[in-house]
Amino acid sequence: MMTTATSPQETHQAGPAGYAPEEPGGDLWALNFGPQHPATHTTLRHVLELDGEVIRSCTVHIGYLHSGFEKLAEHMNFNQYVVVTDRMNYVSPMANNIAWHHACEKLFGIELTPRCKVIRTIIAELARIQDHLLSVGATGLDLGAFTAFMYPFNARETIYDLCEEICGARFTTSYTRVGGLMQDITPRWPGMVKDYCTDELPKALHDLENLLLRNRIFIERTKGVGQISREEAINWGITGPLARSAGVRRDLRKDEPYLCYADNWDGQGAKAVSFKVPIATGGDCLARFQVRMAEMRESIKIIIQLVDNIPSGPVDVLPNDKMALPSKDEVYGSIEGLIHHFEQVMTNRGHTPPVGEVYGANETANGELGFYLVSDGGNMPYRARCRPPSFINYQCFEKLIVGHKISDVVAVLGSLNVIAAELDR
Amino acid sequence: MGLASAGSMPYQESKEEFLTTKLSHLIDLLRKQSINWSRKNSLWPMPFATACCGIELMATGASRYDIARFGAEVMRFTPRQCDLMICAGRVAIKTMPVLQRIYMQMAEPKWVISMGACASTGGVFDTYAVVQGVDQFLPVDVYVPGCPPRPETLLEGVMAIQRLVDNEGMINSKDRERGLGLVVQPTVQVEVEKGAGK
Amino acid sequence: MSAKITPVIELLQKQFSDIDFAPAPLLEMEDQSKEQWCVKVGADKLMAVMSFLRSDERCAFEQLSDLAGVDYLNFPNAKDRYGVTYSLLSLSNEHRLWVKVFVNDPNPEVPSVVSIWHGATWMEREVWDMFGVRFTDHPDLRRILTWEGFEAHPLRKDYPLTGRGERENFKVITRESA
């Protein structure tokens, strides 16, 4: 199918260094990339206009996984919706659970217990590792390195085991509740986490890094590909590892601290966990890979700081507040617990938040995952807008890819780590 | 057969012919068996992975669960090379025509696994944008329950397809019923102790 | 009021003395330093205010962090139907400000801020798709999440959760036709 360039002036602006497009005039080829393609990581569709093998312009079509998450939120209460957030960024479901209830608790004005904060911080970091492992592995897979996909996936399986240990599900965890957690951790869980973070994961990261960063094909296919400058990254609203690999010093864990990233998190002057925020200046696919690898190492540090001394005490806020759901023992064992439980779960009862709007954001693996809640005082959110990092990061793809070869599409896509369910919601 | 006495029988096979017929039967049987055997152990899945189930599909293909034990590790992303479509994840209205088109492009004989609650029924997404079960618009052979199904469950689904292939292998999908309604169920029966509820 | 955002709001009021910004926290909290502040602007003055917020050094909102549409159809005490909320973030000054615009039927229109923040491109398309609020001067205002030929705007409050029969209208592929 032949077609002509729609807006040649625009396509001339972007491109890697040394790219000087010829005068338009020749015929361009249109290539439909997706929506079913192994490298599109589920369902994305690009319509590329090709001049030989060089991409002159790209139009992205999304929405192939639009499932009406935000509409659904208006028909579910604050605890029920956590089930749907699992399916949002399905590579790191725990991080979504925490981000959703972070915003809810901001709305209700709940301060969590220290034990809950520590557990949430640990699982947030585990989720970050989980996400980055898949991202770097899939980048390798797309560039033809199948082994580089197997190594991190092995390490991911252990995280699935850790999730299974605390909440019974490998994958769709739904672990948090308003004001606490679904249940307390098991006694052997901290030991398992520590073993994983001191032994298995560092080895896997070492292997992975050796496998890819000493591979000339990988380096040549990622270095200088899909470059974005710092100013552009800010203007496009990019957050997370993508922004940090372009030199933007921004991490919500440091800038708007929450959980154990904030000082005085236990109310007795405890210090915030210490970690560094890795920054790169390249802004290309290789820089993104390196930032992700470095972030995983920092996450290991955070987990090791916390996992040995998880404070004792309840995981839920005090039951007298009637905010958190009672434990199952209480529900089955006492009439007060049963009444309390029904008060919370019945459709015409439940939590009644104040009337107002609130924005709560967490730093998840892909960037700033925020929820903008509008409450009319009912037990269901009036509007639950999600600020999905993938959606906002992915916009710049149309600019990033111009001037590159067609084989670079998969490299750039892999490094952006677009999760379709979060993209389309 | 009692009526077929010696004189009235229109056709009497000679000893040689008798042997050839038996032999060809045997060869047929062997051929069918071996073709089915090889076909069932070399299913080439077409992973139509849209959402969360796709990650579990990846986990099934990765090292711990290793779908290669069942000969189904050759994931081909072009439908023309595949005979087993694994529809993993919810199918939005925008995606349904894509799914149908991919199904039409697959060569006979072909099988379809509907993986997970969303693909089978719509799951938690009872909304305006999600198809409430792909089996409304496509013939599905095996439903794998779970949200998402564990890799073991998906493997059980693949094995169910293998049993299907073994039984009826040469029959292509046109001659089969629409939707076999085969649901993967746990094979282990949990025995309830007497008086447990008291 | 959060100490960081106070000067910005005062500056705004001084610069645009003819606009009633009605600054208020999104939600009143016990810890007032954590409150998130919001100003209201009319759709006609939006571009002037936004360009000022972006370019002035004391404001320097380099990033449009989020853009949310809200349909206030049955909201208690709501006067206007659609609200568009801009969440602005300044990386150099480390503060956030929310800007709200209210528009009404039959012709909800808001000027597009794509010329100031490129990041608004898809977010505005999403609001158009979901709420039917039209952004004037948007370079490419098409539907983004829903499919071709879809008429409604699903996140409006008068649109039912399960849709109006869109999800049943497909051709059925049978074994015979395949």
Side-chain angles (χ1 to χ4, degrees), chain A residues 62-63 66 71 74 106 234-235 237-238 248 250 256 357 359 368 372 382-383 385 387 395 425, chain C residues 26-27 36 63 65-66 69 71-74 96 100 117-119 122 126 144 154 156-157 159:
Chain A
I62 65 168
H66 177 57
K71 189 80 179 171
E74 294 166 12
K106 222 169 172 177
I234 293 172
N235 201 334
I238 294 172
V248 183
R250 175 108 186 135
E256 293 170 17
E357 308 185 1
Y359 177 78
E368 180 182 332
Y372 180 76
Y382 187 80
R383 167 100 170 91
R385 151 81 182 167
R387 181 210 187 273
Q395 301 184 59
R425 286 156 291 130
Chain C
L26 285 175
L27 181 74
Q36 301 165 327
Q63 200 171 61
S65 178
D66 191 15
D71 179 5
Y72 292 100
L73 181 62
N74 302 316
R96 284 178 187 269
K100 267 191 191 175
W117 295 283
H118 291 321
W122 282 15
E126 194 193 341
I144 185 162
R156 286 187 177 181
K157 284 282 174 181
Y159 186 80

Side-chain angles (χ1 to χ4, degrees), chain A residues 33 43-48 57-64 394-399 401 413 416 418 423-424, chain B residues 94, chain C residues 122 125 140 142-144:
Chain A
F33 190 94
T43 49
L44 318 168
R45 180 175 164 219
H46 311 125
V47 179
L48 307 167
S57 78
C58 167
T59 315
V60 178
H61 296 269
I62 65 168
Y64 287 92
Y394 186 39
Q395 301 184 59
C396 66
F397 181 80
E398 292 176 3
K399 296 278 170 198
I401 202 63
L413 258 185
L416 289 185
V418 181
L423 178 79
D424 298 337
Chain B
K94 210 170 176 176
Chain C
W122 282 15
R125 279 175 68 185
D140 183 21
R142 284 177 291 131
R143 283 184 177 272
I144 185 162

Side-chain angles (χ1 to χ4, degrees), chain A residues 206 208-219 289:
Chain A
H206 182 77
L208 182 66
E209 215 161 49
N210 275 357
L211 199 61
L212 290 179
L213 284 185
R214 288 185 180 180
N215 185 334
R216 181 152 180 184
I217 300 173
F218 182 79
I219 301 278
F289 174 82

Side-chain angles (χ1 to χ4, degrees), chain C residues 40-173:
Chain C
K40 286 175 190 149
V41 185
D44 49 336
K45 297 280 171 58
L46 182 75
M47 283 313 277
V49 173
M50 286 302 199
S51 335
F52 175 75
L53 285 173
R54 170 71 185 85
S55 54
D56 191 89
E57 272 180 21
R58 290 157 293 182
C59 307
F61 290 100
E62 294 108 346
Q63 200 171 61
L64 177 69
S65 178
D66 191 15
L67 199 161
V70 186
D71 179 5
Y72 292 100
L73 181 62
N74 302 316
F75 200 77
N77 306 325
K79 289 179 191 127
D80 304 283
R81 171 104 195 243
Y82 306 107
V84 179
T85 311
Y86 298 81
S87 164
L88 307 180
L89 168 69
S90 166
L91 280 88
S92 45
N93 299 338
E94 294 194 348
H95 51 222
R96 284 178 187 269
L97 182 70
W98 280 260
V99 179
K100 267 191 191 175
V101 182
F102 289 102
V103 281
N104 279 303
D105 280 333
N107 195 17
E109 272 191 353
V110 178
S112 164
V113 293
V114 173
S115 55
I116 307 174
W117 295 283
H118 291 321
T121 320
W122 282 15
M123 294 194 257
E124 286 183 351
R125 279 175 68 185
E126 194 193 341
V127 173
W128 154 244
D129 191 358
M130 293 289 140
F131 292 94
V133 176
R134 190 171 276 282
F135 289 86
T136 49
D137 304 327
H138 189 283
D140 183 21
L141 196 67
R142 284 177 291 131
R143 283 184 177 272
I144 185 162
L145 294 179
T146 55
W147 51 98
E148 247 173 66
F150 186 57
E151 298 286 326
H153 299 286
L155 276 182
R156 286 187 177 181
K157 284 282 174 181
D158 49 9
Y159 186 80
L161 173 66
T162 49
R164 295 179 179 139
E166 292 91 350
R167 61 185 189 189
E168 279 91 31
N169 294 331
F170 288 104
K171 64 169 183 186
V172 176
I173 295 186

Side-chain angles (χ1 to χ4, degrees), chain A residues 229-418:
Chain A
S229 70
R230 182 178 179 276
E231 283 67 34
E232 269 183 319
I234 293 172
N235 201 334
W236 280 104
I238 294 172
T239 50
L242 264 75
R244 287 195 283 277
S245 67
V248 183
R249 287 172 190 280
R250 175 108 186 135
D251 190 322
L252 287 183
R253 291 176 291 172
K254 290 277 189 199
D255 296 328
E256 293 170 17
Y258 53 95
L259 295 179
C260 293
Y261 309 114
D263 278 322
N264 190 23
W265 48 267
D266 64 349
Q268 291 161 8
K271 271 196 157 179
V273 287
S274 75
F275 65 102
K276 287 177 191 150
V277 179
I279 309 267
T281 48
D284 54 0
C285 295
L286 185 64
R288 286 169 211 148
F289 174 82
Q290 283 168 327
V291 164
R292 288 206 170 97
M293 293 302 285
E295 274 189 18
M296 280 193 269
R297 298 227 154 86
E298 293 300 319
S299 295
I300 294 175
K301 275 188 209 164
I302 296 176
I303 294 174
I304 287 176
Q305 282 171 46
L306 290 172
V307 79
D308 275 338
N309 25 22
I310 299 177
S312 56
V315 285
D316 292 339
V317 289
L318 289 177
N320 297 343
D321 297 349
K322 303 280 182 199
M323 289 309 277
L325 284 169
S327 73
K328 287 281 175 276
D329 290 345
E330 241 175 282
V331 176
Y332 295 133
S334 74
I335 188 70
E336 291 82 11
L338 191 67
I339 293 171
H340 179 188
H341 180 80
F342 271 105
E343 286 281 325
Q344 291 296 348
V345 299
M346 276 165 74
T347 47
N348 56 348
R349 306 284 178 88
H351 308 292
T352 45
V355 179
E357 308 185 1
V358 81
Y359 177 78
N362 269 13
E363 183 75 29
T364 60
N366 268 344
E368 180 182 332
L369 175 64
F371 284 96
Y372 180 76
L373 296 178
V374 180
S375 153
D376 61 348
N379 62 353
M380 291 184 275
Y382 187 80
R383 167 100 170 91
R385 151 81 182 167
C386 168
R387 181 210 187 273
S390 290
F391 181 79
I392 293 162
N393 292 352
Y394 186 39
Q395 301 184 59
C396 66
F397 181 80
E398 292 176 3
K399 296 278 170 198
L400 283 188
I401 202 63
V402 168
H404 285 297
K405 296 270 169 61
I406 189 165
S407 59
D408 294 330
V409 173
V410 289
V412 176
L413 258 185
S415 74
L416 289 185
N417 192 23
V418 181

